[in-house]
Each structure stands twice: as structure tokens, then as C-alpha cells.
Amino acid sequence: MKTQAPARRARALRAGAARLAGVVAVLWGAATLAFLALALIPGDPVTILLGPFTTASQEIRDQIAADHGLDRPLHERYLAYLGRLVTGDLGESYQLQKPVSAVLGEAIGPTVALALTAVVLAVTIAIVSAVLTAGREGRLRGLATGWELIAVSLPSHWFGILLLTAFSFQLQLFPVVGGVGPQALVLPALTLALPIAGVLAQVLREGLEAALAQPFAVTARARGLSRRQVRLRHALRHAAAPLATLSGWLAGTLLGGAVIVETVFGRPGLGALALQSAMNKDMPVLIGIVLVSALVFVALSALIDAFHLLVDPRLRP
Amino acid sequence: MILTRPVAAAALLAAALLLGGCGSPAEKTTETGGGAPVKGGSVVFAVDTEPVSFDAHVSSQDITGTILRNVFDSLVSQDAEGEFQPWLAESWEVSDDLKTYTFKLRKDVKFTDGTPFDAEAVKVNFDRIHDPKTKSQLAASLLGPYTGTEVVDASTAKVSFSAPFAPFLQAASTAYLGFYSPKTIKENGDKLGAGGPAAVGTGPFVFSAYAKGQSADFTRNDAYAWAPKGAANTGAPYLDKLTVRFLPESSVRVGALTSGQIQLAAAVPPQDVQGVTGNAKLALDTQEFPGGNYSLYLNTSKPPLNDEKVRKAVQQGVNVDAGVKSLYFGQYKRAWSPLSPATEGYTNKLENSWPYDEAAANKLLDEAGWTTKDGDGYRTKDGKRLTINWPLLPAAYVKDKRDILGQAFQADLKKLGIEVQRPQDDIGTYIANVYGGKADIADYSWARSEPDVLWLLFNGASDPRKGGQNATFLADKDLTSWTDEGRATLDPAKRADVYGKVQERAIELGLVIPVYTPTAVIGRAKAVNGVAYDANAWPLFQGAWLAK
């Protein structure tokens, strides 16, 4: 017993170090890919930055190039860029006259609020839909699978406008103009949540049905648990595990969806910022968004691992 | 920056606009609903783009100028007749060589941070714009060959140029040459792009708050008493508050307007116009943009469009009328000249002078030697197919459904046996091809309240390979000398003459296919009265009021 604890600690430490190295590798890869993708766009970077319709003189072009180091060779720019990244400096936006970290900092809050609300909504809707209909036949199930199919296949851009037309323009329940506060979060979060809920519900139902067919479900019933108790306490836990494999997809959907939702609803956030920076060729900001996204993916996969441990005791050391 | 039609500089001269019976480019005010102005209330104006930078001295975006007009005054204003009127300057003198402009400033003007507006403020602002470190994308070019400002005394500023610079008064009337308080330049110079309360001007409104991705708020400047001469409201604005809301999605803007959540919506697309006009509570304000119409520019530097006959065939072989009418539901006017009718110097002589004529186009192509056809039905000469390369801008830059309009023209030209290729690459490749002279057609509009835009579009020195915008790649002697003459004279008759000739010759040589006149379409709640539109077709809110 006495030797076990340090061994376990060492194992945990090693696992932690490996995990950290993985994170660093992922971030470095993402940073490098983003840098290369943007650096290899054909054409003179300053001209691209200014766009075709400008009357900026050569003197001003030179000043812009010098300010952002665009006049130096690619490898020098890459090394300088990595050096800055290591110290946590994401550089300065080409267009906004502000450090990228400040730009991201402003945008991240509204997006996190939107994404978290959407996830909570999506998970709630999915659980309700799946638990109510798993293993059953009939009209309710037909309705549930029907809406899931529609939610998954509708373009969320169109969906958002539909919600706005009904609940904001017609019924005037939610403002599009106020734009701030919890009330203004409802429709955007719903737009983002519904397609996710659709997929989650389908996966969850399939998992529930598989779990309910397992011997332990029969045993639990035999011990006198009600149908509902079996579903909620035992089967749901089993069915939740496959959701973890969807985490990457979920993160992608949240970030990609934010671009559309934030544009439709005129909300601030990372999605709107990503779109604007891409259009303005604001490379430092774009790279910053790529890095933040990579971080989100890494963090999410760590969270999902923890979630696995929570729902499946067999995985615990 | 990019998504813009820089509303740039340029010269003056009011009288020229009367020429050819063209529309006035100047200020128009919406009806006042019969009542007297009421003080109070707030208005939300939804726009489709958000400024990248709020620094008027840096940005070249229309939207930046439009929004900052609320907090900036100019030395002079351009009135409904296109003439320049006193504003922050009570009077001015221009030297005979057009190199020195001396402004006598009002003495009662204060910035909203309490500091006085004086000659020193003019100097500080113009020097800042001119400094390459400011990285101005537009304002610096509005200052042209600026050499400096001399503070003669507190209320006299003498602005000097190294060469005759006729366009300066018009430039000085734009928001891009507006004035920040020298105090805020000193304290917040590097933060002005971020918008908000740091943007201290002398204007009718105070930039009170900015939420990125959301909205910008403006509150009344109670001390305002220096509206331009001729303004309907000479004092402080009637509105307590003006909010500019950024709503990029057009159906959302229009929906918010029709449901009464906002009072004005910019950029109402043609297909949504009926939703506004069909609503008894709403009105539609349309203003044609001055400057360069949306046109196709034909590259004369390489085959096949180096042949004038082929260019003329393309010009007459696209059905502009049909395309513009069906796509824009009659909301945008079809164009005949490269210059917008809302610009001084527009000539109406070109109207109906080059109608769609398929037979004539075919005849021209036959004459040019493109007489044989290949298996796909395209014309050939010496075994080579008649192919035109017309790159599409990346999707994010395409506006007014110009890509779809292009498809109609592509189909028209196919009937003539001309193949039109429309590659859509990234912006870097687009710029390299189109501005490097490798493409055959470039298409754009260029808003600017001045016929000097024709210099930019057709002067031989305005080579796109050197930062110009003459995508015809032709250094025509006449076009060059006429546009040079136009920018170096203050004589209205002379300017009208040379600019008229430029428009006619550009059409005659088949250099350009004017398509439509870009038009600002703003949906407005009828309860909002007194909104004025300036020479750039931008809304002004100083005289706006809300009916109770």
C-alpha cells in the first residue's frame, strides 16, 4: 500500500506532462499552419491589406509594411512571431490599432455566453427528446425524430431569420435592437442550439435504446426500479458516453455557428470578429482566433475525458 | 480600406453641376410632416457595415465618414446648389496659383471637451493626417500636395500646397478632414480608431459610447451653435440620442424597421423595397451616389480587347437595360456615362446613344475577323477562340448581386459567340490579375462628389500597376490632357467642357460599359422628420426630429 501512492502520483504526473506536451504541440501546429496559410496568399500583403479600392500612396504603403514587419523575409517573420507567442504577445491588429489580445478579450465574453447557453439548451432539449421517446413507437417518437431531422438539415442562417421574424418582428417578444442582456440571448442561443440538439438527441436515443436492451436494465427492473428510474439513473449514463466522441464536432459547430448567428443577430463576438478580420485581411487577429479555437478544442477534449471518468467508473485508475 | 467606394476629394465648382441639366449632388431634406420640430426623443439608425477603424483620418470607409459626420464639422460645407458655404470657416481666400488657402475661422466654436477650436487645431489635425505614421488610407490623399498649415493668428489658418490644388475645398468639406480636439489627439491619438468618447469633435453630437459588433451611441451636444450656413436648424440637434446599430443582414434590418424596433435602415436591397413602400408608416429615401457609376472597364493593353471593334461589339452586345431592370426591380437607374448623373459635369448627351444591338455587335465582330466558329459555337480567328477573362471578386466583396448581373452579360455575349470566363480566386490573386493588367475586364463603382473621379478612372498616369484605378490600361492623349486640365482650373465652363468630352470619348473608344448608378436606399419611419442628405448621399441628423 505504501508504495502505491507515489507510483500513482508519478503516473499522474507523467500523464499530465504528456498532456501538456500535446497541448503545446497542437498550439504550435495551429499557429504555424495559420501563419503559413496567411503568408502564402498570393500577392503583396500590403496591397491585400488595403484592398483593391484605395488611393494610399507608396509612402503610406511602405510605412504600413515597415510597421508590421511585412518588409522582412518570411522566415524572420515566422521566428519573430513564434518568439512573441511564447511571451504571450499575440501582436497588434493591422486594422484596429489595438493589441490582438485586447481585441480577442472583448469578443470572447459574448461568444462564451452564447455558446454556453446554446450548449445547455441543446443538452436539455436533447435529453428530454431522447428520454421521452427512446424504445417507444408511435406519434411522439415520429414528431421527435421529425423535428430533429429538420433542425439538423436547415441552414442556421435561415433558421435564425425565421425565429426573428416570428418572435421579434411579429410577436415582439424578443428585441433585435436592444442586443444586450439575457433577453437578447434567447433567440441567438436557440438558433445555435437546435441543430446541435437534433444531433445529440439522435445519438442519445440510440444509446439509450442500446442500454435499455442490456441485461443490467432487466436486472434493475427486476429489483423493483420503475421504468423511469432505469432510464434516468442507469441507461442515460451509458448513453451519454458516446456523446463524448462528438466533442470535436460540437466545438466546431459552436464556433462555426457563432459566425452565422452573430452576423444574423448583429451580435458582438468571436464569430463576427473572425468574419470581419477575414474580410479585412487582419492576419494577426485571424491567427489569434485560430489559436483560441485550438485552445478550445484542447480544453474541450480534456473536459470530455474527465466526463468519461465521471460516467464510466471502469475507466478510473 | 477595402469594402469601400472611397468618397474622395476633389474640386469645386458649383456652377458646373447645372450643366446638362443633371441632378444636384447636394443636400436634400426629407419632408417635415407639416409640423414644427419637436425637441427630444431618440432614433435608431441601422447600417449594414461596421467601421473597421473609427479614425476618420485613417479610414477610407464610407461608413466611417457617415457615422463620424455626427461628431465632426468641416471648414466649409457644400450646399444644395453645390456651392461652398461657411461652416467652421467664416470666409476663405484662394491664391491665384491655387497653392494657398487662407481660412478665417469662427471664434465661438468649442470642442466637446471644452477646448476652443482655432487655427492651431486645424494645423494639428492636417499635420496628423499628412504624417505617414498615421497611415491614412484616404484623408492624406484628400490633402494632396500638402506642405503645411501656418497659424497666422488664433482665427486665421493658411494651408499651403506644393502644386495648384483645385480639389481642396471639396475635400475640406468631407468628414475625413474633420477635426479632433488637439487635446484628444495628444492623449488618445493611438486609440481614436477604437471609437467612443475619445473621438472628441465640435459636431452636433457627442460620441458617447461604442459597443463593438453592436452599436454606437451619440448624444446631443447642447452647446452646438455653428451649423453650416443654410442649415434648417441653426442650433443644437432636436434629438436627445442617436444610435447607430450594426445589422449586416438585410432582412433583419428591414424586419426591425417594419416592426418599429428601429427608425431608419440603410442599404435596403431592391427586393425588400416593397416591404417598406407598402407600409403606411414608412418612407423610402433614395439618393443617387455621385462619382463613378458601376461600370465595366475593358483592358485595351492585350488581345482581344485591344481591338476597338471587339470592344464596341461587347459594349453594344450586352443587354444592360434588361439586366439592371430585372435584377434591381427598377430601383437602380441604368447608366449611359461612366459618371453618375448626381455629379457635377455629367453630360446627358450619351443617354440612349449606344443601345443594345445584337446585330450591330455581330457585324463588328465579323469585321474584326472573328468569322469562324468552333464546335462549342464560339467565334474563332486563326484557330483561337474569342475568350474574355473577367475575374469575379471574392464573395465577401461582391455587392448588389453584381455576380448575378455578370451572369446575364455572360449569356448575352455567348449569343454573340464570345466566351466569358469568370474565375473566382482569393483577393490576392484578384488584385494581381486585374490590377496587373492580366484580366480583360474589371468592374467597380467609385463614389466621389466630384468629376475629378474621371482623372482616377481614365488618366494615363492613373495606372493600376502604380496604385491608380485606370483599368483600361490606356494612356489616351486626349483623355489624359482633358482630365489634367479639369483638375487644374476653377473655371466652371472649362471644367464642364473637358469633363463632357472625357465621358463621350471613353464611350466612343469602347473603353467602358456603364451599367447602373449606385443608389443609397434608406427606409425611414415617417415619424422621423428633417433628415438631410449631403453631397455624398449621406444622412445628416442635426436637423432631424421625431414627431410625437
Side-chain angles (χ1 to χ4, degrees):
Chain A
M1 286 300 271
K2 270 181 186 170
T3 52
Q4 253 187 13
R8 186 184 287 177
R9 201 175 302 144
R11 244 197 342 264
L13 268 177
R14 261 206 309 280
R19 178 119 227 164
L20 201 68
V23 169
V24 171
V26 167
L27 290 182
W28 176 60
T32 304
L33 277 179
F35 178 86
L36 282 179
L38 294 170
L40 294 179
I41 292 172
D44 161 45
V46 176
T47 306
I48 296 170
L49 191 60
L50 289 169
F53 313 118
T54 172
T55 52
S57 68
Q58 192 56 46
E59 202 185 6
I60 287 164
R61 286 168 195 264
D62 293 346
Q63 180 76 37
I64 292 172
D67 265 23
H68 297 298
L70 295 171
D71 49 351
R72 289 181 300 163
L74 196 63
H75 66 275
E76 263 184 49
R77 273 157 57 197
Y78 177 64
L79 289 178
Y81 158 72
L82 279 189
R84 281 203 318 270
L85 277 191
V86 169
T87 61
D89 177 4
L90 291 171
E92 185 169 298
S93 158
Y94 286 170
Q95 303 277 8
L96 305 168
Q97 301 172 312
K98 265 201 263 186
V100 171
S101 48
V103 176
L104 292 177
E106 279 172 20
I108 217 159
T111 300
V112 168
L114 175 70
L116 284 184
T117 315
V119 166
V120 170
L121 272 175
V123 169
T124 312
I125 296 170
I127 289 179
V128 170
S129 184
V131 169
L132 283 182
T133 59
R136 293 195 177 124
E137 302 293 326
R139 186 178 289 179
L140 189 66
R141 187 194 171 104
L143 268 176
T145 48
W147 85 255
E148 285 158 19
L149 196 67
I150 292 174
V152 170
S153 33
L154 273 186
S156 50
H157 168 260
W158 193 76
F159 204 63
I161 290 177
L162 209 67
L163 287 178
L164 268 178
T165 306
F167 294 104
S168 181
F169 304 153
Q170 299 294 331
L171 300 173
Q172 306 247 344
L173 289 175
F174 299 99
V176 62
V177 172
V180 276
Q183 245 203 329
L185 198 58
V186 176
L187 294 183
L190 210 55
T191 307
L192 191 54
L194 281 176
I196 296 174
V199 174
L200 291 187
Q202 286 169 347
V203 174
L204 207 55
R205 181 180 305 107
E206 205 172 292
L208 270 175
E209 284 170 353
L212 286 173
Q214 295 228 348
F216 79 83
V218 182
T219 316
R221 283 282 287 154
R223 280 196 285 114
L225 266 70
S226 73
R227 227 175 243 284
R228 179 186 292 172
Q229 282 170 321
V230 174
R231 264 168 203 260
L232 293 179
R233 286 206 205 139
H234 298 273
L236 193 57
R237 187 179 260 212
H238 278 257
L243 288 184
T245 44
L246 286 174
S247 64
W249 167 83
L250 184 65
T253 306
L254 284 174
L255 286 169
V259 175
I260 293 161
V261 169
E262 287 169 4
T263 306
V264 169
F265 289 88
R267 278 181 63 83
L270 276 187
L273 183 68
L275 192 70
Q276 212 186 21
S277 326
M279 278 167 69
N280 302 329
K281 300 289 165 277
D282 202 336
M283 292 149 214
V285 177
L286 267 184
I287 291 177
I289 292 169
V290 168
L291 288 180
V292 168
S293 314
L295 254 179
V296 169
F297 274 89
V298 168
L300 207 69
S301 76
L303 273 177
I304 293 298
D305 284 356
F307 175 72
H308 262 289
L309 290 179
L310 202 72
V311 297
D312 191 348
R314 288 171 299 181
L315 295 174
R316 288 176 204 162
Chain B
M1 72 111 267
I2 1 207
L3 294 168
T4 59
R5 281 151 282 135
V7 172
L12 1 145
L13 284 255
L17 87 129
L18 298 172
L19 207 122
C22 70
S24 148
E27 187 172 310
K28 295 161 195 158
T29 308
T30 56
E31 77 272 22
T32 51
V38 185
K39 205 170 167 182
S42 63
V43 157
V44 181
F45 172 37
V47 298
D48 60 333
T49 37
E50 182 171 1
V52 174
S53 166
F54 272 101
D55 191 332
H57 297 167
V58 172
S59 175
S60 68
Q61 283 180 288
D62 281 357
I63 190 67
T64 307
T66 306
I67 291 178
L68 289 175
R69 184 80 280 180
N70 294 302
V71 294
F72 282 148
D73 298 321
S74 293
L75 287 172
V76 296
S77 87
Q78 213 178 359
D79 73 8
E81 273 71 50
E83 276 183 60
F84 294 100
Q85 296 293 350
W87 196 349
L88 294 184
E90 280 174 335
S91 63
W92 54 90
E93 269 170 37
V94 184
S95 67
D96 289 342
D97 62 2
L98 301 182
K99 284 179 171 179
T100 314
Y101 292 70
T102 308
F103 295 92
K104 281 277 177 201
L105 309 176
R106 290 180 69 122
K107 291 173 182 153
D108 56 344
V109 178
K110 278 201 161 49
F111 289 102
T112 50
D113 61 7
T115 57
F117 168 79
D118 54 17
E120 183 63 29
V122 175
K123 179 178 168 58
V124 168
N125 277 271
F126 285 177
D127 284 354
R128 174 173 188 258
I129 293 166
H130 182 65
D131 186 348
K133 284 206 180 65
T134 306
K135 290 177 282 187
S136 169
Q137 294 168 12
L138 177 68
S141 72
L142 296 184
L143 273 182
Y146 177 79
T147 52
T149 300
E150 187 192 330
V151 179
V152 179
D153 59 52
S155 60
T156 312
K158 200 163 140 186
V159 183
S160 301
F161 302 94
S162 59
F165 191 49
F168 181 57
L169 274 190
Q170 198 279 336
S173 77
T174 68
Y176 302 105
L177 297 192
F179 302 99
Y180 287 107
S181 113
K183 186 169 165 237
T184 201
I185 287 181
K186 202 169 161 207
E187 290 168 5
N188 306 305
D190 54 347
K191 288 185 229 129
L192 295 176
V200 177
T202 61
F205 290 92
V206 178
F207 198 159
S208 47
Y210 168 55
K212 192 172 164 48
Q214 190 108 30
S215 56
D217 290 342
F218 301 86
T219 42
R220 176 174 47 225
N221 173 8
D222 283 311
Y224 193 74
W226 41 85
K229 195 183 169 195
N233 174 22
T234 53
Y238 302 117
L239 297 174
D240 291 336
K241 189 177 166 194
L242 169 73
T243 297
V244 178
R245 177 84 168 92
F246 309 111
L247 291 175
E249 187 64 43
S250 64
S251 49
V252 174
R253 273 197 314 283
V254 174
L257 179 72
T258 49
S259 64
Q261 297 188 46
I262 61 171
Q263 288 70 49
L264 292 115
V268 175
Q271 68 270 21
D272 288 332
V273 158
Q274 228 175 351
V276 175
T277 51
N279 187 322
K281 286 182 178 164
L282 302 178
L284 200 70
D285 297 343
T286 57
Q287 311 288 331
E288 289 177 357
F289 281 110
N293 281 322
Y294 172 67
S295 305
L296 317 188
Y297 295 90
L298 310 189
N299 180 356
T300 64
S301 73
K302 63 190 260 294
L305 297 181
N306 58 348
D307 185 337
E308 190 181 319
K309 286 205 161 81
V310 179
R311 293 201 301 271
K312 299 283 283 183
V314 174
Q315 195 181 50
Q316 291 200 273
V318 290
N319 196 343
V320 177
D321 259 340
V324 170
K325 240 180 231 151
S326 62
L327 195 58
Y328 303 125
F329 303 92
Q331 290 300 314
Y332 298 166
K333 204 190 282 173
R334 179 256 151 93
W336 293 101
S337 158
L339 200 63
S340 156
T343 324
E344 306 171 24
Y346 171 77
T347 175
N348 62 359
K349 277 192 206 157
L350 286 164
E351 287 171 15
N352 300 309
S353 69
W354 48 278
Y356 174 56
D357 191 339
E358 200 184 329
N362 269 313
K363 191 161 161 267
L364 281 164
L365 291 173
D366 288 339
E367 284 171 24
W370 296 92
T371 44
T372 46
K373 284 204 174 171
D374 64 14
D376 296 327
Y378 293 112
R379 287 175 182 266
T380 54
K381 183 161 100 174
D382 307 328
K384 271 193 76 182
R385 182 184 278 189
L386 181 48
T387 298
I388 288 174
N389 180 269
W390 177 12
L392 261 169
L393 276 161
Y397 296 80
V398 174
K399 50 186 166 192
D400 296 348
K401 297 191 175 173
R402 288 172 183 175
D403 48 342
I404 298 172
L405 191 61
Q407 285 171 10
F409 294 165
Q410 202 172 11
D412 292 338
L413 293 173
K414 191 175 179 185
K415 281 198 281 181
L416 301 176
I418 302 174
E419 182 191 34
V420 180
Q421 292 175 343
R422 303 222 62 191
Q424 188 166 33
D425 296 310
D426 57 275
I427 188 69
T429 308
Y430 178 90
I431 294 173
N433 284 340
V434 171
Y435 286 72
K438 283 176 245 162
D440 294 311
I441 296 183
D443 58 308
Y444 46 83
S445 55
W446 198 283
R448 184 164 171 179
S449 177
E450 228 294 325
D452 186 52
V453 70
L454 292 170
W455 188 97
L456 193 74
L457 297 172
F458 296 112
N459 192 284
S462 185
D463 189 328
R465 286 164 296 206
K466 296 171 201 149
Q469 292 288 343
N470 178 2
T472 71
F473 292 90
L474 182 70
D476 179 70
K477 251 193 347 211
D478 288 334
L479 288 175
T480 298
S481 67
W482 290 331
T483 47
D484 280 340
E485 282 172 49
R487 64 160 36 180
T489 176
L490 290 168
D491 177 359
K494 179 101 190 263
R495 281 166 62 95
D497 174 50
V498 290
Y499 286 129
K501 285 193 287 196
V502 167
Q503 293 164 66
E504 287 179 60
R505 182 156 175 85
I507 292 293
E508 188 190 300
L509 292 176
L511 301 178
V512 58
I513 307 173
V515 180
Y516 67 86
T517 301
T519 304
V521 182
I522 293 185
R524 170 175 58 84
K526 281 182 181 161
V528 182
N529 298 282
V531 177
Y533 290 89
D534 74 1
N536 302 305
W538 296 350
L540 303 170
F541 293 96
Q542 189 250 346
W545 56 276
L546 198 58
K548 296 281 176 214

